[in-house]
Amino acid sequence: MNGLLKVARLVSGPVQRYNEALGRYRARQRESKPHPSEFGLPSNYGASLRPTTGTAPVAPGPLLQGPPAPPSLGKLSPLLPQQQAAVEFIQERGGSGILAHVTGAGKTRAAIEAFQRLKAGGKAVRALVITPSSLRVNFAQEGVQKFTDEPVSIIAATGEHGPIYRKPGNPDPEATYHIVSYDMFRRDPEGLIRRTGADSLILDELHRVKDPTGQTFRQIANVRPLVKNVIGLTGSLISTHPTNILPPLHVITGQHPLGRTSAFESKYLQRDKTQEAPGFPLFRPTKWLSWLLSQPSPKGEITGWKNTTQLGQELRKYVHYVGPDAVKGQMPRKELETGRVE
């Protein structure tokens, strides 16, 4: 016991000094560096897609030029300019792509319209829409039923009943759109595609696949070869780290168009290696010790993008971006009435 106490006292001093030095180092980092979530594309697209330095990798390019757009296949008003551009984007890229549109830009209608035109052109028959459970009814009623005359059904969870609901093992054979939650899809992805006859996927809230180790990403990536078209919808393509963009691109294309994680980081991310973390007494921390002691990455802190011109060119092949500036004046004004409470 006395020997253990001596060892503990011997180790506690260096460890305490290391932790104090690490605390001072992190304080300097917080003062001089933005949080990683601020690099590149903010999760809410607050102002624009801008990295800390350089040119934005994804910029809202000019709307496609050409003859007047054909009338919408939907039941209501013509498409907005950004919706029409998004539909053409999907068509020109063979039926697959990501619509990274700010909230209010109308990406749901654009995705439905894109699928309708693929269907009219003989390039699609049925769509399996994967969305959070709480958004299934909204996608059916405020999306498919509002903008088309196509039959739609919702894959029911336990206890859900009604004309629009169908059990997972018995989908509606007449439905053009089958809507399922991510949770339900993960249980039997291949079976759902086979039973519904879907040849297209519409992935609402696409950022849910950003974790390459997660079950959602793996299941969708596994069934990607079974369908012809994949349309992804998101308002936050990158939320916590620049590499968040890689899993969505993989499920859309079935490939790794920007390389795998290490290659992407090496080619497109800038790191500051001038301020190294304090070294542990007697030896330099290895990766496992770095994780154990929560030491900053030995690669250096991310400070921004590099090779942004090339990155932008690559991203525009797969991502159609609409930022807040493009929808100014399209959102309905709120009329507020203020009352006095005595």
Side-chain angles (χ1 to χ4, degrees):
M1 180 63 72
N2 290 336
L4 291 176
L5 290 175
K6 289 181 180 179
V7 171
R9 293 193 187 100
L10 182 65
V11 173
S12 63
V15 170
Q16 181 177 355
R17 289 194 295 273
Y18 171 79
N19 287 335
E20 291 174 352
L22 183 59
R24 292 192 296 271
Y25 168 80
R26 285 179 173 160
R28 293 196 304 269
Q29 292 295 95
R30 285 194 296 270
E31 293 173 359
S32 60
K33 300 290 188 299
H35 188 272
S37 64
E38 298 173 10
F39 308 141
L41 317 185
S43 58
N44 60 357
Y45 293 100
S48 63
L49 299 182
R50 298 184 185 277
T52 306
T53 59
T55 307
V58 185
L63 297 180
L64 298 175
Q65 303 296 319
S72 168
L73 299 180
K75 297 188 294 185
L76 297 181
S77 59
L79 296 174
L80 296 171
Q82 71 271 9
Q83 293 173 325
Q84 178 61 36
V87 171
E88 294 177 3
F89 177 87
I90 296 297
Q91 289 182 300
E92 291 174 353
R93 283 152 183 81
S96 297
I98 297 174
L99 305 185
H101 293 189
V102 69
T103 300
K107 56 183 172 288
T108 298
R109 185 181 182 188
I112 293 172
E113 186 80 15
F115 174 79
Q116 289 295 108
R117 297 196 186 188
L118 292 171
K119 181 173 180 285
K123 298 179 180 179
V125 178
R126 292 185 180 86
L128 182 63
V129 180
I130 310 175
T131 187
S133 180
S134 60
L135 299 180
R136 291 174 301 153
V137 174
N138 184 73
F139 200 103
Q141 295 179 346
E142 298 301 318
V144 178
Q145 292 178 338
K146 183 176 182 179
F147 298 121
T148 78
D149 293 314
E150 301 284 358
V152 58
S153 72
I154 296 176
I155 305 299
T158 303
E160 290 181 327
H161 304 283
I164 200 172
Y165 291 102
R166 298 295 292 259
K167 293 182 179 180
N170 185 32
D172 184 356
E174 303 299 325
T176 300
Y177 291 84
H178 299 269
I179 303 177
V180 65
S181 68
Y182 278 98
D183 291 339
M184 184 70 70
F185 176 81
R186 286 195 297 266
R187 299 179 187 179
D188 186 16
E190 187 172 346
L192 277 171
I193 291 177
R194 176 172 48 81
R195 289 190 295 271
T196 59
D199 58 2
S200 304
L201 295 180
I202 298 177
L203 307 177
D204 196 16
E205 305 291 326
L206 179 64
H207 47 272
R208 288 186 172 239
V209 308
K210 68 182 180 182
D211 180 5
T213 65
Q215 189 77 357
T216 299
F217 166 77
R218 292 202 300 266
Q219 295 285 27
I220 296 177
N222 287 341
V223 299
R224 174 62 180 90
L226 303 180
V227 296
K228 295 190 294 185
N229 313 301
V230 183
I231 302 173
L233 314 178
T234 182
S236 52
L237 189 57
I238 293 180
S239 54
T240 58
H241 193 276
T243 55
N244 289 161
I245 197 173
L246 300 181
L249 284 175
H250 180 60
V251 299
I252 292 295
T253 64
Q255 302 172 352
H256 299 277
L258 296 182
R260 298 182 185 272
T261 301
S262 59
F264 175 85
E265 290 187 351
S266 175
K267 188 171 185 178
Y268 296 116
L269 297 185
Q270 291 180 343
R271 292 183 181 273
D272 181 7
K273 299 182 180 181
T274 59
Q275 296 188 39
E276 294 187 356
F280 196 81
L282 304 181
F283 61 94
R284 186 174 181 83
T286 59
K287 286 187 177 181
W288 66 267
L289 188 60
S290 172
W291 171 83
L292 184 64
L293 298 178
S294 301
Q295 181 175 318
S297 170
K299 297 180 181 178
E301 296 296 313
I302 300 174
T303 58
W305 303 94
K306 61 183 179 181
N307 299 322
T308 54
T309 300
Q310 181 181 355
L311 178 57
Q313 292 172 348
E314 290 298 317
L315 285 177
R316 288 188 184 92
K317 297 176 183 178
Y318 315 102
V319 181
H320 183 269
Y321 168 71
V322 173
D325 291 342
V327 297
K328 283 183 179 180
Q330 295 178 358
M331 301 294 288
R333 291 185 57 186
K334 281 189 176 181
E335 298 294 339
L336 301 179
E337 182 177 344
T338 304
R340 182 176 181 181
V341 179
E342 299 291 346

